[in-house]
Structure formats: structure tokens, C-alpha cells
């Protein structure tokens, strides 16, 4: 499933090709993509407008059009955006759910016609699109769905500590909740927790300030490494030109069950956290101790700490 680095990779590749071009036609071939809005309403709102920006927020990709019209897309499980020449846009191409036709050259000095079609392809059909009118509507849309942007200036250790305070949720589930931190999914959560030496089942509210600071840095470093590798291609993720990401070759723990931990060589274990397959080194990331009954806790509290 595409996460922040995969969507950012798409954004970076599309932006120079789409900027300044006219979105001539939008054909939604599968109405589920924009349900409950009818496909014709989307076409009416966007057709004939120039692309003025290609943005990302969390895992959403935003095509900003003239007069504050925004086409907001989410790839979900298996969505991809392919930029192809009209001649390559044939009926044999599978899983095309939305077709966008563009006018004008693809980039300054680029050949006219080289990237005239932007196709939203999606075998499992969970991807979505919505048109929002006005920048305020766009802001409200994201404010209702997404928390802090982890690569933005607001994602500080203090901000993360405030988000975590008092929460009993396991830290992995916390990282995956888009309403708290936008864009982190299963891959990048596992990698960040390993870097920060934090067990995924640890209650996020019990992390020490130093651990919170390490987690913040680990999330940023992991996402940046993902972008640097142009995302991870495990199943369907492709760049707009059809190429694959390479971050899957750099995984430190994710999908490496039984292989040695890169830090201590302990075999990596797979367990379940937040309903997802989760990979840990239980030597580097020590498992949270079970809560004792009140008496047991009290008995432990009066024992002097072991000398080190
Ligand atoms: Zn280890």
C-alpha cells in the first residue's frame, strides 16, 4: 500500500510534467472512484482548467487547478498513476479507472504528445477521487482527516509528546492513525520503531521524553530514506513512468522474519500489532512488561533497584 514516500515520489515525478498544462478531459470509468459524486459533476468542475500545482498531504495527492479547484486523489491499496502517450493508452491496458487528457507539452522543451494521458489504474478498486472547490474547503477536508505532516516544521519532539501524552494505545497503532500523524503506514512504522529501539506494543503514553525525541527523528529519517529510494514496490506500486521503487531492498526489519537484526544479529520476529504483520528485533526493542496486579506492583516498588 502506498505510504507517504510512495505518494511523494509520484508527486515529484508528475509535477514537472503537469504544471502549466490544461486538463482537457476527465473520464471516470468506474463511478465507485468518486462516489457519491456523479462522474459528470467532477468532469464539469475540472475540465478546461490549467494545472497550477501538484501537492501532497499525508498519503493524498492533490492536483491544484485554476481558481482554487482541487482534484484530491487517494491510491489506497493498489492505485497507481501512470503518465503515458495517447498512443500507449490502449484498450488492452488493464484496470484503468480514470483517464485524464492533457493538452500542451509535457515539460519546457518537452515533446508535445509525449505524456498526454494520466491514468489512475487500480486492480482492487479502493482508490478514490474527490473535487473540492475553494482553498478553505480543501483545508477543512484535510483537517477532518489528517494530523501533523511528519516532514513539515510542526512535527517536533514536543508536538509528538503532546500527541502521545496519556494515551494507552500501542505505539505502532498510534503511528498508523492518520488523524495523529499523516502518511505513515505499516512499512515505515516498523522501520522507524526499530531505528528508535521501541517495541511496537509499548503504550505510547509511557515513552520517556528521550524516546519520544528518538521516535520523532526515526520517523523523519525513515520517510526520507523511503523518498530517497523512490518508495517501496512490494506488489503494485509503480512510478508514473512505470518504474519500481527500491526501498524494499533497504528494509532493516520489515518483511525480514528470521533474518539477523542489522544491529545485533538476533533473528527478526514477526508478530501482530494494530492488526498488521509487524517485524521487530526483540533484543533491540524490548517487549513491554506485563502490568502486575496492584499488590505485585507495590511489592516490586519497595525492592531496591539492582546494582549495575
Ligand atoms: Zn537487534
Amino acid at each position: 500500500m502506498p505510504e507517504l514516500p510512495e505518494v511523494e515520489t509520484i508527486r515529484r515525478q508528475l509535477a514537472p510534467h503537469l504544471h502549466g498544462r490544461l486538463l482537457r478531459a476527465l473520464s471516470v470509468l468506474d463511478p465507485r472512484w468518486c462516489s457519491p459524486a456523479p462522474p459528470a459533476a467532477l468532469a464539469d468542475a475540472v475540465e478546461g482548467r490549467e494545472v497550477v500545482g501538484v501537492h501532497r498531504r499525508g498519503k493524498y495527492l492533490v492536483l491544484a487547478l485554476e481558481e482554487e479547484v482541487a482534484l484530491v486523489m487517494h491510491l489506497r491499496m493498489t492505485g497507481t498513476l501512470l503518465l503515458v502517450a495517447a498512443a500507449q493508452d490502449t484498450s488492452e491496458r488493464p484496470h484503468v479507472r480514470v483517464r485524464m487528457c492533457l493538452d500542451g507539452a509535457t515539460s519546457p522543451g518537452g515533446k508535445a504528445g509525449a505524456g498526454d494521458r494520466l491514468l489512475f489504474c487500480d486492480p482492487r478498486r479502493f482508490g478514490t477521487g474527490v473535487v473540492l472547490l475553494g482553498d478553505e474547503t480543501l483545508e477543512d477536508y484535510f483537517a477532518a482527516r489528517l494530523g501533523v505532516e511528519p516532514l513539515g516544521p510542526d512535527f517536533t519532539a514536543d508536538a509528538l509528546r503532546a500527541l502521545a501524552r496519556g494515551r494507552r494505545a500501542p505505539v505502532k497503532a498510534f503511528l498508523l492513525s492518520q488523524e495523529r500523524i499523516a502518511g505513515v503506514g505499516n512499512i515505515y512504522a516498523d522501520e522507524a520503531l526499530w531505528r528508535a529501539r521501541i517495541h511496537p506494543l509499548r503504550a505510547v503514553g509511557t515513552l520517556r521524553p528521550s524516546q519520544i525525541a528518538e521516535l520523532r527523528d526515526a520517523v523523519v529519517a525513515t520517510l526520507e530514506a523511503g523518498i530517497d529510494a523512490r518508495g517501496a514496490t512490494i506488489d503494485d506500486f509503480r512510478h508514473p513512468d512505470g518504474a519500481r521503487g527500491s526501498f524494499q531492498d533497504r528494509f532493516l526489519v520489515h518483511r525480514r522474519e528470521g533474518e539477523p537484526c542489522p544491529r545485533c544479529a538476533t533473528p527478526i520476529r514477526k508478530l501482530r500489532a494494530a492488526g498488521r504483520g509487524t517485524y521487530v528485533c526483540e533484543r533491540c526493542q524490548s517487549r513491554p512488561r506485563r502490568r502486575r496486579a496492584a499488590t505485585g506492583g507495590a511489592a516490586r516498588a519497595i525492592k531496591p533497584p539492582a546494582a549495575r
Side-chain angles (χ1 to χ4, degrees), residues 261 264 281 284:
C261 165
C264 75
C281 168
C284 293

Side-chain angles (χ1 to χ4, degrees), residues 22-226:
L22 203 69
L23 182 51
R24 184 162 48 79
L26 173 83
S27 316
V28 179
L29 312 175
D30 175 4
R32 189 169 125 179
W33 188 74
C34 57
S35 174
L42 268 77
D44 278 352
V46 304
E47 284 180 358
R49 292 186 188 277
E50 191 185 311
V51 179
V52 295
V54 183
H55 310 298
R56 179 194 57 73
R57 176 81 169 87
K59 303 179 196 172
Y60 288 87
L61 189 78
V62 181
L63 230 58
L65 305 167
E66 289 172 288
E67 293 174 7
E68 297 189 6
V69 174
L71 176 60
V72 179
M73 294 178 272
H74 199 300
L75 304 170
R76 301 287 169 197
M77 300 287 287
T78 56
T80 35
L81 278 162
L82 296 177
L83 189 66
V84 302
Q88 297 172 292
D89 180 19
T90 63
S91 56
E92 286 103 74
R93 192 177 281 278
H95 311 302
V96 177
R97 299 182 65 207
V98 179
R99 172 179 292 112
M100 288 168 252
C101 301
L102 300 149
D103 276 348
T106 60
S107 54
K111 236 178 14 181
D116 280 352
R117 298 276 194 281
L118 184 61
L119 307 175
F120 193 109
C121 303
D122 189 3
R124 293 188 61 185
R125 302 174 61 217
F126 289 116
T128 57
V130 62
V131 168
L132 300 173
L133 306 177
D135 288 348
E136 215 170 296
T137 313
L138 184 66
E139 267 172 46
D140 292 348
Y141 183 83
F142 288 139
R145 289 164 176 79
L146 300 177
V148 61
E149 188 65 32
L151 296 183
D154 296 336
F155 187 58
T156 60
D158 284 346
L160 186 56
R161 196 161 62 227
L163 286 173
R165 189 168 295 137
R167 298 203 174 273
R168 287 195 207 152
V171 58
K172 169 113 185 215
F174 172 85
L175 289 177
L176 295 183
S177 68
Q178 301 298 300
E179 317 85 66
R180 312 226 183 277
I181 302 169
V184 179
N186 204 33
I187 296 172
Y188 296 92
D190 282 2
E191 297 286 297
L193 287 168
W194 180 84
R195 281 179 186 244
R197 301 174 191 242
I198 296 169
H199 197 282
L201 295 175
R202 178 83 185 264
V204 68
T206 67
L207 294 175
R208 295 188 303 274
S210 62
Q211 289 180 302
I212 290 276
E214 274 167 40
L215 181 59
R216 181 264 167 208
D217 291 349
V219 167
V220 172
T222 302
L223 294 173
E224 284 177 346

Side-chain angles (χ1 to χ4, degrees), residues 194 260-266 268 280-285:
W194 180 84
C261 165
R263 207 157 36 206
C264 75
T266 301
I268 288 161
V280 293
C281 168
E282 287 199 306
R283 186 160 176 212
C284 293
Q285 301 164 267

Side-chain angles (χ1 to χ4, degrees), residues 202-286:
R202 178 83 185 264
V204 68
T206 67
L207 294 175
R208 295 188 303 274
S210 62
Q211 289 180 302
I212 290 276
E214 274 167 40
L215 181 59
R216 181 264 167 208
D217 291 349
V219 167
V220 172
T222 302
L223 294 173
E224 284 177 346
I227 293 170
D228 189 51
R230 298 178 182 216
T233 297
I234 294 171
D235 299 312
D236 302 271
F237 172 68
R238 292 289 183 280
H239 302 160
D241 63 3
R244 301 159 66 93
S246 66
F247 194 59
Q248 67 281 2
D249 303 330
R250 302 191 201 174
F251 286 166
L252 301 167
V253 284
H254 191 73
R255 292 193 173 227
R256 296 192 55 225
E257 185 180 17
E259 292 178 47
C261 165
R263 207 157 36 206
C264 75
T266 301
I268 288 161
R269 283 195 55 194
K270 182 179 182 184
L271 47 87
R272 272 191 101 66
R276 309 290 300 274
T278 296
Y279 298 82
V280 293
C281 168
E282 287 199 306
R283 186 160 176 212
C284 293
Q285 301 164 267
S286 60

